[in-house]
Amino acid sequence: MSNSLAVGEANASLNDGDGIPNIDEATPETVPDTVVVTARRRVENLDDVPLAVSAIGGRTLDVQRLDRLSDYAAKLPNFTAFQQNPRVSSLLIRGLGGNASSDGSESGVGLIVDNVFLSYVGFSWLDFVDLESVQIARGPQGTLLGKNTTIGAVIITTQKPSFKEQGTLSVTLGNDERRTVRANVSGPLIEDKLAGRLTLYADTSDGWIQNAATSDRYLNVNRYGIRGQLLFKGGESFENRLIIERYETEEWNNFYPPTVDVNTFANGAPRPNSWTNRLISRFGYTPSFDRRTNANLDTQEEIRQRIQGVSNEFSLEVGDHTLTSITAWRSFWFRPKNDSDSTPFPIYRAGYDVDVEQWSQELRLASPQGKKLEYQVGLYALRNDITSDLRLSFFRDGSKFFLGAAVPSVAIDGVTSSQLGKTLVNSVAGFGQLTWNISDRAILTSGLRYTKESREASNTATRSGGVDLVGPLAALAPARTAVAPIFTVADKVDGDSWSWLVNPSYKLTDDTLLYASVSYGEKSGAANLGATPGQPVITKPEKSLSYEVGTRTSFLDGRGKLALNAYLNDIEDFQGNQQDPTAVTPRVFLANVGDIRLKGVEFEGSFDVTPSLRASFSGAYNDARYTNYRNAPPPVEFTYPGGPLSVDYTGKRLPNVPLWSGQLSLDYDRDVGPGTAVFAYINERWRSRTRQANPISNYLIQEAYGVLNAGVGVRWEDGKYTLQGWIKNALDEDYATGSGSPSGAAPGISILGDPRQYGLTLTVRSW
């Protein structure tokens, strides 16, 4: 699969078939069961689209409370996301694409919301509500729209303003004092000319982790959002959509419980300076590794985050062609205050203050549909300005922990270190895609993209505070410098790249489609905003070559549907995070981490057991391995004196990429009286055993696990009222979506999956 996916007015899922072609004309009870996409700039049945693409329609998103990107893994094959907080977030297709915590790196998986490519992964940190659809496209992207990516894209489309008056109010009460209110109202402002839509939400809950030191409750919810839209129509030939939005959170979502530590080296020798042994020998404190009960932090504060954005999209009929323009601005603001020592002692606090501003402009010209040759050409420009300031504040016990019990506290007490990373990216591109309708059954699509980018990056380390180390205290200066160094590194790179695809397809029968694709894409060198002297400030480009073959078929008069896709994807100079196991303070930096090969099979399907009961399923076998990674940093257990300076991971499977994954769902919806219906669903998703540590280690292994979600409800008065009970992670599975490896002064940590959640939701619609 290599086409970018442009979501149109009618979208749905092979999983659930609940597309909403036009909410102005359909209530939830009258939504047609038609699966259509517009991936080739034309509305067509998903069964006819030669792409490895999956989707979830708006109705399923709403009914099954799939509110965040991490929830979509319950329905989409070979996709996952972990989102502990706005900066520690990743979108993963086939196990890759993330780079959480690397502010200077674009994700290999693009996020496109209302046709705007969002370059920074933190933009994904919000509740996506009032949606029309969510779709994922697998493989290199860029020849059809937006920014080029190497792994795939997630495309989210919100509901447009309506020229019919309508409104929805939804209220949820749940465990842990969960309180959620969502509302939207839409209607004409000038008849047949101008319509508006206003969407608001507020979501709050107590946290489910109790902090022993302060009684604060961590991993809570406290977020708000507002989105306003105006839709102007100038007859049949012109349409303009303006969106203004703002989202805010202030949450205790920066808790990563200690899960394991390495207290013995791989050669059997003790490791006296491990996090655990430092606490025992220097503080007389034995930490707990029970990750649901071991929160005991004295300097933790809430993370504050804000996202704002404005976009304007217009389409104009120029003869028999269509010209589309998308202009957008978006900003991200993030301020954490983390207790980074994970103890009740005043040792140190660390966090990245992040500011992002993005400007983009896209122009596309599309030919008329139904011709022998159909084409689209476009131009894309992006300016991205990112500041990432790693701030470390050292307290009274910092010297004892980092430098030893004999070192006076004045060595680093009161010292603040700043590593100010900056990057500025200017990118311009031209792209085009051509579809040759060879016959009624044979189609050949090809595409090409040329991108030219300029990237500047720097990292400047300074320090302030603390007593002056003069006279007898001057001997402590080297210790202060080791913990809080001073340096400046900088670089600038200008480069260009090509992306392309070839995508033939053939309709074997009226019900069976065969397709193949070969595609190539590049992601420019990323800014290593954590670079120190001697490290590359800008990495090498990441290059991806993907081969795919697939089929889509339906049977039993459309009651059953099945899609299969096989892929082989070679990625050269993959950009990923590395952890320095020897650093005095814990440090993660970005680097090219070798070459990778992905190979596997994806499948999804559905079967209408009865008119009221549908079974759906999806799954993937995904073998992700390093094909060349001979100089990898060793895990901390191999950092003993005389140990290896590097290790060879060639042939090893990548961390945190399950070999097997899948989901199974049952959806029931039945009329039980005039204007009244009952509905229910149950969904189980499953992932096989994975090693989560990076560098690869025998520590931090997540065993296979499954998460069960379910719900039941009733609609009455033709859908005006809906009452639903729901439960997520019904069996209260204890699992981690990701981990951080042990280092010189930190334990191995976990990013926890959500525990059992349940509640009642009442929705009132006005049509």
Side-chain angles (χ1 to χ4, degrees):
M1 199 299 305
S2 50
N3 291 18
S4 296
L5 182 65
V7 182
E9 293 183 344
N11 302 275
S13 168
L14 184 61
N15 296 337
D16 47 59
D18 65 350
I20 305 179
N22 190 334
I23 198 168
D24 293 349
E25 307 296 336
T27 71
E29 285 65 62
T30 62
V31 171
D33 191 24
T34 303
V35 181
V36 290
V37 296
T38 56
R40 296 184 296 173
R41 314 306 295 170
R42 61 187 183 191
V43 175
E44 55 191 343
N45 193 292
L46 181 58
D47 296 341
D48 299 326
V49 178
L51 307 172
V53 56
S54 302
I56 315 173
R59 184 179 171 202
T60 291
L61 292 165
D62 184 43
V63 170
Q64 300 192 15
R65 295 188 60 80
L66 306 179
D67 304 325
R68 302 175 187 174
L69 281 160
S70 56
D71 295 333
Y72 303 158
K75 303 293 285 186
L76 298 173
N78 230 352
F79 171 78
T80 190
F82 64 84
Q83 295 186 291
Q84 176 74 31
N85 70 51
R87 188 173 177 272
V88 184
S89 297
S90 281
L91 310 181
L92 306 172
I93 291 176
R94 297 170 179 166
L96 297 183
N99 294 349
S101 307
S102 296
D103 298 314
S105 172
E106 296 170 358
S107 174
V109 175
L111 175 63
I112 301 171
V113 180
D114 290 326
N115 288 327
V116 177
F117 183 95
L118 304 180
S119 61
Y120 183 69
V121 71
F123 288 128
S124 69
W125 178 260
L126 50 92
D127 287 6
F128 288 100
V129 299
D130 198 19
L131 297 186
E132 181 180 299
S133 72
V134 171
Q135 304 195 22
I136 63 168
R138 306 178 188 90
Q141 305 290 299
T143 67
L144 193 60
L145 80 167
K147 188 80 168 61
N148 49 312
T149 68
T150 52
I151 309 297
V154 179
I155 301 97
I156 296 174
T157 303
T158 65
Q159 294 284 0
K160 285 184 175 181
S162 167
F163 281 91
K164 283 188 175 181
E165 291 185 358
Q166 58 181 228
T168 302
L169 175 64
S170 178
V171 178
T172 295
L173 303 178
N175 63 323
D176 290 325
E177 300 298 319
R178 189 69 176 266
R179 302 288 186 269
T180 305
V181 177
R182 297 176 179 174
N184 65 74
V185 60
S186 186
L189 301 176
I190 301 175
E191 186 175 358
D192 298 328
K193 292 290 186 182
L194 183 66
R197 191 177 194 95
L198 181 64
T199 302
L200 308 100
Y201 75 82
D203 193 0
T204 64
S205 78
D206 289 345
W208 57 280
I209 296 291
Q210 181 80 46
N211 183 37
T214 63
S215 298
D216 294 313
R217 296 182 67 85
Y218 294 162
L219 304 184
N220 66 323
V221 178
N222 185 34
R223 55 186 63 185
Y224 307 86
I226 180 170
R227 180 171 64 242
Q229 302 182 65
L230 290 175
L231 179 65
F232 175 78
K233 288 191 174 183
E236 298 295 325
S237 62
F238 179 78
E239 180 175 294
N240 190 90
R241 184 187 187 190
L242 173 68
I243 303 174
I244 302 175
E245 50 199 330
R246 179 185 174 102
Y247 308 94
E248 290 193 31
T249 65
E250 189 170 353
E251 300 175 343
W252 299 98
N253 52 37
N254 47 346
F255 173 65
Y256 317 103
T259 303
V260 70
D261 202 2
V262 178
N263 299 312
T264 303
F265 288 115
N267 64 355
R271 183 172 171 251
N273 283 328
S274 70
W275 177 78
T276 301
N277 287 331
R278 293 186 196 207
L279 293 175
I280 293 173
S281 63
R282 302 175 189 181
F283 294 84
Y285 176 78
T286 301
S288 166
F289 292 96
D290 184 344
R291 62 190 185 186
R292 286 199 173 193
T293 64
N294 64 358
N296 195 9
L297 314 179
D298 65 322
T299 59
Q300 187 92 312
E301 294 185 27
E302 293 169 303
I303 287 180
R304 294 179 296 149
Q305 177 254 5
R306 181 171 64 243
I307 294 173
Q308 301 176 100
V310 179
S311 66
N312 190 84
E313 177 178 353
F314 76 76
S315 60
L316 174 66
E317 299 297 326
V318 182
D320 56 358
H321 287 59
T322 301
L323 176 66
T324 301
S325 169
I326 304 164
T327 307
W329 167 84
R330 212 164 181 93
S331 72
F332 174 88
W333 179 88
F334 177 77
R335 295 295 183 270
K337 292 186 177 179
N338 306 320
D339 186 329
S340 299
D341 53 74
S342 300
T343 76
F345 304 105
I347 296 175
Y348 83 117
R349 171 186 284 163
Y352 289 80
D353 293 350
V354 182
D355 295 275
V356 180
E357 279 201 275
Q358 172 189 309
W359 299 263
S360 63
Q361 174 64 55
E362 183 171 348
L363 291 171
R364 298 197 303 263
L365 182 67
S367 70
Q369 300 176 5
K371 304 294 185 179
K372 193 75 172 179
L373 293 177
E374 300 176 14
Y375 60 87
Q376 178 175 277
V377 294
L379 298 171
Y380 180 80
L382 172 73
R383 181 180 175 88
N384 211 17
D385 191 348
I386 299 175
T387 299
S388 176
D389 187 3
L390 171 57
R391 299 183 62 82
L392 295 91
S393 299
F394 297 95
F395 305 127
R396 184 185 66 243
D397 289 335
S399 294
K400 183 191 296 187
F401 180 82
F402 287 110
L403 305 173
V407 178
S409 63
V410 296
I412 58 175
D413 184 23
V415 171
T416 296
S417 170
S418 168
Q419 292 191 24
L420 182 61
K422 293 184 176 183
T423 183
L424 178 64
V425 179
N426 289 291
S427 175
V428 293
F431 57 87
Q433 190 159 292
L434 175 69
T435 298
W436 177 20
N437 296 301
I438 302 170
S439 69
D440 290 342
R441 295 190 177 275
I443 298 174
L444 177 63
T445 297
S446 59
L448 190 66
R449 178 191 186 96
Y450 175 74
T451 301
K452 187 173 183 61
E453 288 192 351
S454 172
R455 188 179 301 264
E456 303 174 22
S458 64
N459 188 26
T460 301
T462 60
R463 69 170 179 257
S464 61
V467 302
D468 292 335
L469 299 181
V470 295
L473 297 180
L476 299 176
R480 178 175 291 186
T481 299
V483 174
I486 298 175
F487 61 85
T488 297
V489 293
D491 199 2
K492 179 179 179 180
V493 173
D494 296 326
D496 59 0
S497 64
W498 292 91
S499 302
W500 51 264
L501 74 89
V502 179
N503 177 207
S505 65
Y506 185 77
K507 196 80 169 179
L508 188 64
T509 69
D510 290 343
D511 298 321
T512 301
L513 173 71
L514 305 177
Y515 66 87
S517 71
V518 183
S519 58
Y520 174 83
E522 286 193 24
K523 186 172 70 168
S524 300
N528 176 18
L529 298 187
T532 57
Q535 290 181 345
V537 181
I538 299 177
T539 69
K540 292 185 289 186
E542 177 181 299
K543 304 174 182 180
S544 176
L545 178 62
S546 180
Y547 305 87
E548 314 221 7
V549 294
T551 183
R552 299 184 184 275
T553 188
S554 60
F555 51 92
L556 295 180
D557 294 327
R559 287 179 60 191
K561 297 181 183 294
L562 179 66
L564 298 172
N565 185 70
Y567 57 89
L568 177 67
N569 190 181
D570 286 322
I571 302 172
E572 180 182 341
D573 290 325
F574 180 72
Q575 298 168 4
N577 289 329
Q578 288 187 347
Q579 187 167 40
D580 185 350
T582 62
V584 177
T585 57
R587 193 175 70 86
V588 174
F589 61 94
L590 187 70
N592 296 104
V593 297
D595 302 335
I596 289 171
R597 168 168 286 182
L598 308 176
K599 59 181 179 180
V601 178
E602 299 153 337
F603 61 90
E604 56 182 326
S606 65
F607 184 73
D608 293 336
V609 182
T610 71
S612 300
L613 178 64
R614 167 167 291 181
S616 61
F617 58 89
S618 65
Y621 168 82
N622 183 34
D623 188 13
R625 295 181 183 270
Y626 293 109
T627 56
N628 182 18
Y629 194 13
R630 303 185 188 282
N631 61 339
V636 70
E637 59 263 33
F638 284 92
T639 58
Y640 51 84
L645 298 179
S646 64
V647 293
D648 185 357
Y649 287 152
T650 301
K652 300 290 187 182
R653 289 181 51 214
L654 269 67
N656 211 27
V657 180
L659 187 63
W660 295 94
S661 61
Q663 68 88 19
L664 177 64
S665 299
L666 291 174
D667 296 273
Y668 181 82
D669 198 313
R670 181 181 179 87
D671 292 335
V672 294
T676 303
V678 295
F679 62 92
Y681 67 90
I682 186 169
N683 167 266
E684 169 84 7
R685 62 181 175 93
W686 180 85
R687 288 165 57 94
S688 63
R689 183 179 187 266
T690 58
R691 297 180 184 271
Q692 294 187 331
N694 183 17
I696 297 173
S697 169
N698 288 326
Y699 295 88
L700 294 169
I701 294 176
Q702 174 60 59
E703 298 296 337
Y705 69 93
V707 175
L708 180 68
N709 299 335
V712 61
V714 59
R715 297 188 301 268
W716 66 98
E717 291 196 22
D718 293 319
K720 182 176 182 179
Y721 301 100
T722 302
L723 181 64
Q724 177 190 7
W726 53 269
I727 187 168
K728 293 185 176 182
N729 193 4
L731 302 182
D732 202 24
E733 184 76 25
D734 183 3
Y735 66 98
T737 61
S739 298
S741 297
S743 67
I749 59 173
S750 293
I751 300 174
L752 298 180
D754 290 332
R756 180 188 294 120
Q757 300 174 345
Y758 52 86
L760 286 173
T761 299
L762 175 65
T763 302
V764 181
R765 294 179 172 88
S766 173
W767 303 101

